[in-house]
Amino acid sequence: MNGEAAPRRAADLSTRTKLERGRGALGPALELVHTGRAPTRAVLTAELGVTRATAGAVAAELEALGLIRVDSRPGVAGGSQGRPSHRLAVDENGPVALAAQVHPDGFRAALVGLGGRIVDTTPGCVTVSADPAQVLGEVVDAGAALLAKSGRRCVGAGLAVPSAVAEPDGTALNPLHLAWPAGAPVREIFTERVRAAGIDGPAFTGNDVNLAALAEHRHGAGRSAQHLLCVATGHRGVGGALVLDGRLHSGSSGLALEVGHLTVNPDGRACHCGGRGCLDVEADPLAFLQAAGRTPGPEVSLLDQARDLLRAEAADPAVRHATEELVDRLGLGLAGLVNILNPDRIILGGLHRELLNAAPERLRAVVADRSLWGRSGGVPILPCTLDHNSLVGAAELAWQPVLDDPLLLGQGAAVAGH
């Protein structure tokens, strides 16, 4: 008996070891599919460094959890050789995260699945109350209505706000372009509203540009970058973010990369921070409209007015002058950031994306001329590619616990929305 028991124990141990190894690979495997880096089981096997059998078991378990789909009848592309590999994709009918965004011209809620795919979104609200509790209650209620309509399982909720979010308290330190009080406890309020709406799962809050950068790094223009700098102007002001080796760099207390308060015009406009000539007031939509000699109207957002003007009247001398003026200011700020941070890629969002498209060579020349590293070959400067990237980034916060441990779904940590 002893001679038979020893091999059996060894076989049992080997099976358990393989199972544990496979379960330990669930999170990395899901992230690879989520970010599009493992389109087939063969690629998944290579990326994880496991056997084909282990990769197959991992893919099967993720499929059983309702997170991915495995093509049961793989085909071979024309001209390829070897055994065909099963294609992998996120399950389009799988769980979702509730994402919410607040900005000076309104708010919006959305449901976002794996892969950064927006499943459904509410029409954008165009007014924002001075009471953060009222606004966050309204955006969560709008999101809860989307969940009820979808019948989808919800893994959690994420919120993007136009303010630095201080850690660990989750307070909006400087919502300069909202009428909210400084230090508003947005994470606490958001969590309470999510619970009150009957939405289970964790709730998270972050700065809107940080979350845009996270989304672009995983699903958009920032893919494969190791040191990604994102600078964007949305409805008002200018924000920045840095992603290092796949992780947001938020500093010691969540306040890093407040690039809007770099001085780019010492004799320029007074800034809300107490300084003068900051990027925040020298290179945002209001600054563009004023430089073009246009009086902003109340009917649509400043961002939409600036975009429409740039697209429809780019040849107008005043608009062309405003474009060059803002490109020069933006380039000066970017050059300083390049000198300090040495990124391997810069992505621009909001109106800055439009300015890049309007005068790409001028912007790149300003950055190259003013930065040490730009002169040695240049840093790629690209437009952001995702629509609603701050919403997608807010959803990434809610998805992260599942990406870390997909078995949470089987343990009831993320439950159905209603």
Side-chain angles (χ1 to χ4, degrees), residues 62-154:
L62 291 175
E63 186 173 36
L65 289 168
L67 295 170
I68 73 169
R69 305 186 92 170
V70 181
D71 182 4
S72 60
R73 300 181 64 184
V76 181
S80 64
Q81 297 179 350
R83 178 181 297 182
S85 182
H86 296 270
R87 296 199 63 79
L88 307 177
V90 299
D91 190 336
E92 294 186 355
N93 298 313
V96 293
L98 170 61
Q101 180 182 10
V102 178
H103 54 74
D105 293 307
F107 60 78
R108 185 184 296 268
L111 304 182
V112 184
L114 282 169
R117 184 175 54 86
I118 294 180
V119 174
D120 198 3
T121 181
T122 60
C125 174
V126 295
T127 58
V128 177
S129 162
D131 179 4
Q134 178 182 339
V135 176
L136 297 184
E138 290 176 357
V139 73
V140 169
D141 287 345
L146 288 181
L147 276 172
K149 183 176 71 172
S150 74
R152 299 285 191 100
R153 190 175 192 179
C154 184

Side-chain angles (χ1 to χ4, degrees), residues 380-416:
I381 304 176
L382 304 173
C384 290
T385 58
L386 300 178
D387 292 330
H388 305 304
N389 52 17
S390 292
L391 275 174
V392 174
E396 290 295 316
L397 295 181
W399 271 112
Q400 192 59 54
V402 177
L403 294 173
D404 291 337
D405 183 7
L407 292 176
L408 285 175
L409 286 180
Q411 298 168 1
V415 300

Side-chain angles (χ1 to χ4, degrees), residues 2-360:
N2 288 342
E4 296 176 0
R8 190 162 54 244
R9 284 197 299 271
D12 290 345
L13 179 60
S14 176
T15 300
R16 286 200 302 273
T17 301
K18 289 179 180 178
L19 183 61
E20 289 167 1
R21 187 183 301 122
R23 285 181 174 168
L26 284 174
L30 181 60
E31 183 165 337
L32 286 167
V33 178
H34 171 61
T35 55
R37 290 178 290 153
T40 68
R41 206 167 72 183
V43 175
L44 183 68
T45 301
E47 290 287 337
L48 293 177
V50 299
T51 65
R52 282 168 45 192
T54 297
V58 167
E61 185 150 9
L62 291 175
E63 186 173 36
L65 289 168
L67 295 170
I68 73 169
R69 305 186 92 170
V70 181
D71 182 4
S72 60
R73 300 181 64 184
V76 181
S80 64
Q81 297 179 350
R83 178 181 297 182
S85 182
H86 296 270
R87 296 199 63 79
L88 307 177
V90 299
D91 190 336
E92 294 186 355
N93 298 313
V96 293
L98 170 61
Q101 180 182 10
V102 178
H103 54 74
D105 293 307
F107 60 78
R108 185 184 296 268
L111 304 182
V112 184
L114 282 169
R117 184 175 54 86
I118 294 180
V119 174
D120 198 3
T121 181
T122 60
C125 174
V126 295
T127 58
V128 177
S129 162
D131 179 4
Q134 178 182 339
V135 176
L136 297 184
E138 290 176 357
V139 73
V140 169
D141 287 345
L146 288 181
L147 276 172
K149 183 176 71 172
S150 74
R152 299 285 191 100
R153 190 175 192 179
C154 184
V155 300
L159 169 69
V161 292
S163 168
V165 178
E167 299 295 348
D169 299 324
T171 55
L173 189 66
N174 58 343
L176 297 177
H177 302 294
L178 299 175
W180 293 359
V186 290
R187 182 173 301 149
E188 178 183 335
I189 296 170
F190 183 62
T191 300
E192 289 175 353
R193 294 300 183 269
V194 167
R195 296 286 172 271
I199 301 169
D200 291 319
F204 302 90
T205 305
N207 168 263
D208 53 0
V209 180
N210 275 353
L211 298 183
L214 179 61
E216 292 284 346
H217 185 267
R218 291 183 174 180
H219 308 292
R223 278 180 173 170
S224 78
Q226 294 298 307
H227 298 80
L228 176 68
L229 172 64
C230 176
V231 176
T233 177
H235 296 259
R236 290 293 306 274
V238 175
L242 185 66
V243 181
L244 301 177
D245 295 322
R247 295 186 176 274
L248 280 170
H249 174 70
S250 56
S252 61
S253 56
L255 309 180
L257 272 293
E258 281 291 304
V259 306
H261 301 290
L262 288 172
T263 300
V264 293
N265 182 12
D267 299 321
R269 299 172 177 82
C271 182
H272 313 276
C273 71
R276 183 171 290 278
C278 295
L279 202 60
D280 206 59
V281 292
E282 296 288 342
D284 77 340
L286 180 59
F288 179 75
L289 292 169
Q290 291 175 337
R294 302 305 201 269
T295 300
E299 61 281 355
V300 295
S301 74
L302 294 172
L303 177 59
D304 287 339
Q305 292 179 62
R307 279 175 169 164
D308 291 345
L309 179 63
L310 184 56
R311 292 170 181 173
E313 301 183 45
D316 181 279
V319 175
R320 187 167 61 249
H321 170 75
T323 300
E324 293 174 351
E325 190 171 280
L326 260 73
V327 162
D328 289 349
R329 294 173 190 167
L330 176 60
L332 183 62
L334 292 178
L337 292 168
V338 167
N339 287 336
I340 295 168
L341 302 173
N342 188 209
D344 59 7
R345 191 178 310 171
I346 299 171
I347 57 174
L348 302 179
L351 183 63
H352 292 165
R353 176 172 65 176
E354 310 290 340
L355 292 170
L356 172 62
N357 290 335

